[in-house]
Amino acid sequence: MLEPLHLGPEDEEVYRALLATPGSAAGPLARAAGCSVAYARAALTRLAEMRLVQRRPGRPVTFVPAPPDVAIASLVNELHSGLDQARLAIPDLLAEYQRGRASAEPGGLVEVLTGPQIGHRRFLEIQSTATEELLILDKPTDHPIGGVDFGGEAPMLRRGVRCRGIYESSLLEVPGRLRYLRRLASLGEQARVSPRLPMRMVICDRRLAMLPLAPPAATAPAGESVALVNPSSLLDALIEMFEDYWRRSHPMWARRGGDGVKGLSPAEHETLQLLGTGLKDEAIARQLGVSMRTARRRISTLLTRLDASSRFQAGAEAVRRGLV
């Protein structure tokens, strides 16, 4: 049970024997633990160094255990602190590794991985190692089954990783996608929408980018392929491309309140949110669960209240008034 503290089974037997008979010497403890006296003395020395037991001088030398709740909790905290220090060293060590690899093997700056579910598995690995920021470009794909699913950032958001996503407007028409993105927004994801995106991509902590490549034919046994881009001028260009699209994209979710349009009903507010995503009337009606006539009436009402003659003008006015 105490092996994670680097104590062997025999050490633990000596320790448990001392807990049962505090103030014992090495001889009686050896008999109780079923080991030699020499081994008991060595085990007691290790336990004393770990502050689990205290030595009492005398003839013979005896030992008493420290309160286990305090002593073991202290050791666990020290182990966690050490692991945290090791984790903090990862970025620097990784940078050294990648610099060395780049100079010795420039081709390693871009890796291509192929295999069944390789994109999904690699994304899960990236997700588990993200500590600061995840950047996502997402658009519809013809290969939803077995493809890379960039919708797994909820665990990262819960542990404080900043997530920014840019979504192609046509992706929001995929059943269930908009509802899922609402949930991510409630967890803290910053989402924007763009009429068109050039690719799907995820960038982790600005140190690794993953791009799904065109998968082979469905009958091919190799499965899908992804490209991994390590720190390099190419990665810098991909990050700058993301930031450029971020600047040119529109926030996906409108904020309640703002000056100008007062008394928006929840239905009107939701319609304004969907209108800002660039969805067509049919898609907006489907997302709202209303008829086409009702959706168009709500859109027309919003255009009037925003004093706008077009969707584009309505979007610009909503931004000006702080509604999106």
Side-chain angles (χ1 to χ4, degrees), residues 222-241:
E224 59 180 327
S225 297
V226 298
L228 302 179
V229 182
N230 292 302
S232 59
S233 57
L234 175 57
L235 178 60
D236 294 340
L238 292 175
I239 293 172
E240 182 56 37
M241 182 190 73

Side-chain angles (χ1 to χ4, degrees), residues 40-301:
R41 289 195 181 103
L44 289 165
T45 298
R46 286 190 289 272
L47 292 167
E49 291 173 348
M50 298 172 70
R51 302 188 302 281
L52 290 173
V53 307
Q54 296 175 351
R55 186 191 306 265
R56 284 182 174 174
R59 288 182 178 272
V61 175
T62 57
F63 299 85
V64 293
D69 58 337
V70 176
I72 293 179
S74 176
L75 289 173
V76 170
N77 289 335
E78 289 178 8
L79 285 174
H80 282 172
S81 177
L83 291 174
D84 289 339
Q85 291 297 322
R87 190 176 292 110
L88 291 174
I90 290 176
D92 289 339
L93 296 174
L94 181 62
E96 292 181 23
Y97 163 77
Q98 289 167 338
R99 283 194 297 269
R101 185 173 181 181
S103 60
E105 189 181 352
L109 293 176
V110 178
E111 305 172 64
V112 176
L113 305 178
T114 301
Q117 293 283 317
I118 187 65
H120 180 66
R121 288 189 283 111
R122 194 66 180 91
F123 177 69
L124 291 179
E125 294 173 7
I126 290 173
Q127 169 186 302
S128 66
T129 60
T131 59
E132 297 179 1
E133 184 181 48
L134 194 76
L135 309 178
I136 293 173
L137 291 180
D138 203 3
K139 60 183 297 180
T141 172
D142 295 331
H143 304 273
I145 299 176
V148 182
D149 179 9
F150 288 168
E153 59 267 37
M156 289 175 287
L157 288 164
R158 291 191 182 98
R159 69 172 190 267
V161 176
R162 182 188 183 201
C163 294
R164 288 192 288 154
I166 308 174
Y167 302 95
E168 189 170 295
S169 57
S170 57
L171 179 70
L172 306 183
E173 300 184 28
V174 176
R177 175 65 63 161
L178 194 59
R179 183 167 55 254
Y180 183 68
L181 291 177
R182 285 182 189 273
R183 186 165 76 86
L184 292 181
S186 71
L187 294 173
E189 186 201 50
Q190 300 176 52
R192 295 194 173 188
V193 63
S194 174
R196 189 165 300 278
L197 293 174
M199 67 181 79
R200 307 179 75 212
M201 176 177 67
V202 58
I203 301 176
C204 176
D205 292 340
R206 299 178 178 254
R207 61 174 174 78
L208 179 68
M210 184 176 73
L211 294 73
L213 301 177
T219 55
E224 59 180 327
S225 297
V226 298
L228 302 179
V229 182
N230 292 302
S232 59
S233 57
L234 175 57
L235 178 60
D236 294 340
L238 292 175
I239 293 172
E240 182 56 37
M241 182 190 73
F242 176 91
E243 296 294 354
D244 183 56
Y245 271 92
W246 181 263
R247 288 187 290 270
R248 291 189 283 128
S249 300
H250 299 289
M252 185 175 295
W253 310 115
R255 296 189 297 271
R256 297 304 298 263
D259 60 345
V261 177
K262 301 296 184 181
L264 282 180
S265 69
E268 290 172 326
H269 183 257
E270 186 173 15
T271 303
L272 179 60
Q273 288 181 318
L274 295 173
L275 191 63
T277 66
L279 290 177
K280 298 178 181 178
D281 291 354
E282 296 86 349
I284 291 177
R286 190 163 54 249
Q287 293 291 341
L288 292 173
V290 299
S291 67
M292 180 80 71
R293 171 181 285 185
T294 299
R296 284 176 172 165
R297 185 175 67 250
R298 290 183 185 176
I299 292 171
S300 177
T301 299

Side-chain angles (χ1 to χ4, degrees), residues 250-251 254 259 261 264 268 271-278 284 298-324:
H250 299 289
D259 60 345
V261 177
L264 282 180
E268 290 172 326
T271 303
L272 179 60
Q273 288 181 318
L274 295 173
L275 191 63
T277 66
I284 291 177
R298 290 183 185 176
I299 292 171
S300 177
T301 299
L302 282 171
L303 292 180
T304 300
R305 298 184 70 176
L306 288 167
D307 195 23
S309 59
S310 67
R311 286 168 175 258
F312 178 81
Q313 187 180 359
E317 185 64 18
V319 171
R320 188 187 73 80
R321 301 189 189 191
L323 295 172
V324 296

